[in-house]
Amino acid sequence: MLIMEYADSGTLREYLKGNFKKLTWNNKFKMAHQLACAVLHLHEENIIHRDLNSKNVFVHQSTIKLADYGIKESVSSAGVVQYVDPKKFTGNKYSLNEKSDIYSIGVLLWEISSDRLPFESKSKYFLIVNIPKGLREVPIPNTPEDYENIYTDCWKHEPDDRPTIQVVVSRLKVLISNNTTKHWTPISNSSHSLHNNLKKDMVERIAASPYKIYDIVQGIATLPYKIYDENKKQKVLDYLKDHYVTSKEIFDWLLNNQNHPNSFLVLGDFYYLGIATKVNKKMAYNFYEKAGDGYDGLSVAQYNLGFICENDKLFDTFKAMYWYNKSAKQGNHEARESFYRIRSSSSNTISASSIDKFDDMRVFFP
């Protein structure tokens, strides 16, 4: 029998959900510092946690407590995918280690700053494929820069590039002691000049850093809205506004950086919705196809392709089924429902250009 200490505030996820609006940045810094100190104690005892996530970190009387450590190792049991060292997904021979815990801490520090589960709307398969390629959550607007730098250093892809737990603890301690950072000061309605200066500074900082633009593109790709959702275009524009960047800046960057599935996906969204360009559903289809084709194609792009084939006058429900089926195989339940709905219809159509696309036509018939 395993006996665990009682935690009056439940898990970290539960605590953040119930208390986030009351937390100041200093409260968040202290919570992050407690978490790092708890992991430091484990590492000093030569214990690796291997499964740090917000559902097995607990809060008791405003103090962080750890549970379920030192027992995970295989890929299938390596923990909650969002928090797992991406190196684990590139080869089964990679053994989770102290730097794996550092990666998990980075994700948890982001979660403490955002009150959101990382990549909540994404499938496990999507994350296993894309996190090793560099997919990370986007920093929350007005996050203190020093705090942001700590967790982005923690979640770097190469373990040797991540700090040790001693360095993480030290940097958080300094942050608490200083009690102020470049972007921490709240903006009141009366401080219009300060707001303009801050906005100008953030725009210059983003424009000067391709890494920031890349992060914003990843954020757009993970917005939980379908292309047929009438609110999606506005949600994308609001997201860009919150990150002090224009749609034209993102569109121009995407045109010059077509080297990642999420770049193709977001370009498809911009053409389909008419963001920073005229609506062009043919171009949208082409970019969605680049994002969705291949063995590691994006499920959301495949779903979008199915939707376009079915609904945007392409008159090719067989091709729609093809894409819905590929998306469904990655766990997209809505795609699976659409596939079987069309499959059971008695009025399906196919274009001549699609016939060569299908290896086996039997999948399209009940």
Side-chain angles (χ1 to χ4, degrees):
M1 177 184 294
L2 177 65
I3 300 176
M4 297 178 62
E5 182 179 353
Y6 173 71
D8 59 6
S9 297
T11 65
L12 176 60
R13 174 92 305 270
E14 293 167 339
Y15 179 82
L16 291 173
K17 184 176 181 180
N19 297 276
F20 190 77
K21 292 183 179 179
K22 298 183 290 185
L23 297 178
T24 65
W25 275 111
N26 206 40
N27 295 143
K28 298 171 191 176
F29 297 158
K30 290 179 179 178
M31 185 170 292
H33 182 255
Q34 287 182 11
L35 171 64
C37 286
V39 176
L40 172 63
H41 177 72
L42 291 183
H43 287 190
E44 288 177 338
E45 299 296 324
N46 295 317
I47 299 172
I48 302 167
H49 193 290
R50 296 192 177 98
D51 189 24
L52 285 166
N53 66 76
S54 59
K55 292 184 179 180
N56 64 19
V57 175
F58 293 85
V59 181
H60 180 62
Q61 296 182 0
S62 300
T63 301
I64 292 289
K65 306 283 185 180
L66 300 183
D68 190 24
Y69 50 84
I71 61 175
K72 305 280 186 179
E73 182 55 29
S74 68
V75 173
S76 61
S77 64
V80 183
V81 169
Q82 293 95 316
Y83 306 85
V84 174
D85 186 343
K87 283 287 188 178
K88 189 65 178 176
F89 304 128
T90 60
N92 288 332
K93 293 183 179 180
Y94 182 80
S95 181
L96 295 174
N97 52 60
E98 292 180 350
K99 290 298 183 74
S100 303
D101 284 351
I102 298 298
Y103 179 88
S104 303
I105 287 174
V107 180
L108 282 166
L109 264 56
W110 175 87
E111 187 171 345
I112 289 171
S113 75
S114 67
D115 185 31
R116 284 165 35 197
L117 281 170
F119 303 116
E120 189 170 11
S121 65
K122 295 299 180 182
S123 71
K124 181 177 180 180
Y125 178 84
F126 173 87
L127 295 175
I128 289 174
V129 169
N130 287 282
I131 288 178
K133 294 179 179 179
L135 178 67
R136 300 291 186 272
E137 273 289 6
V138 179
I140 301 303
N142 296 322
T143 297
E145 188 173 7
D146 291 345
Y147 184 78
E148 179 183 327
N149 289 339
I150 293 171
Y151 69 69
T152 55
D153 284 348
C154 289
W155 69 28
K156 287 182 176 179
H157 182 73
E158 293 299 331
D160 289 344
D161 293 337
R162 303 170 199 160
T164 63
I165 189 60
Q166 290 83 358
V167 170
V168 175
V169 169
S170 177
R171 289 172 67 179
L172 286 167
K173 185 175 181 180
V174 169
L175 186 56
I176 293 169
S177 298
N178 291 342
N179 207 32
T180 181
T181 61
K182 184 177 180 181
H183 297 303
W184 191 4
T185 306
I187 301 173
S188 66
N189 292 333
S190 61
S191 56
H192 187 69
S193 176
L194 176 60
H195 173 77
N196 287 339
N197 289 338
L198 177 58
K199 179 177 179 180
K200 179 180 178 182
D201 175 71
M202 291 191 74
V203 169
E204 290 174 348
R205 186 161 64 95
I206 290 172
S209 173
Y211 179 75
K212 295 293 182 185
I213 293 288
Y214 175 84
D215 281 348
I216 292 171
V217 169
Q218 306 312 303
I220 297 170
T222 61
L223 289 175
Y225 299 93
K226 299 287 192 292
I227 56 170
Y228 59 76
D229 189 328
E230 62 182 12
N231 296 316
K232 176 156 187 174
K233 181 175 180 178
Q234 190 57 50
K235 292 295 183 181
V236 172
L237 295 175
D238 289 345
Y239 184 89
L240 297 176
K241 183 179 179 181
D242 288 343
H243 288 80
Y244 301 98
V245 64
T246 68
S247 59
K248 184 66 165 57
E249 288 174 305
I250 296 295
F251 185 67
D252 289 345
W253 186 90
L254 287 167
L255 291 176
N256 290 294
N257 292 272
Q258 298 181 36
N259 51 11
H260 190 277
N262 278 342
S263 296
F264 295 132
L265 175 66
V266 177
L267 268 171
D269 287 346
F270 275 42
Y271 276 110
Y272 192 89
L273 299 170
I275 298 175
T277 186
K278 292 181 179 180
V279 171
N280 188 329
K281 293 185 178 180
K282 182 177 180 181
M283 289 291 288
Y285 186 93
N286 290 340
F287 281 114
Y288 286 143
E289 191 167 37
K290 290 180 180 180
D293 215 357
Y295 74 94
D296 60 347
L298 301 182
S299 174
V300 64
Q302 294 162 353
Y303 179 87
N304 291 349
L305 289 163
F307 180 85
I308 292 173
C309 290
E310 181 185 4
N311 296 283
D312 286 312
K313 299 181 180 179
L314 295 186
F315 304 110
D316 197 336
T317 53
F318 276 84
K319 188 180 283 187
M321 280 193 285
Y322 170 82
W323 289 115
Y324 282 143
N325 190 44
K326 285 180 73 71
S327 181
K329 287 179 178 179
Q330 296 196 53
N332 188 322
H333 298 294
E334 192 169 353
R336 182 177 294 108
E337 291 173 2
S338 296
F339 172 79
Y340 284 111
R341 171 177 50 77
I342 299 175
R343 190 186 188 202
S344 63
S345 173
S346 60
S347 58
N348 288 319
T349 58
I350 187 169
S351 65
S353 63
S354 295
I355 295 175
D356 292 339
K357 185 81 175 175
F358 310 131
D359 298 323
D360 186 352
M361 295 289 288
R362 288 175 298 177
V363 69
F364 302 119
F365 299 98

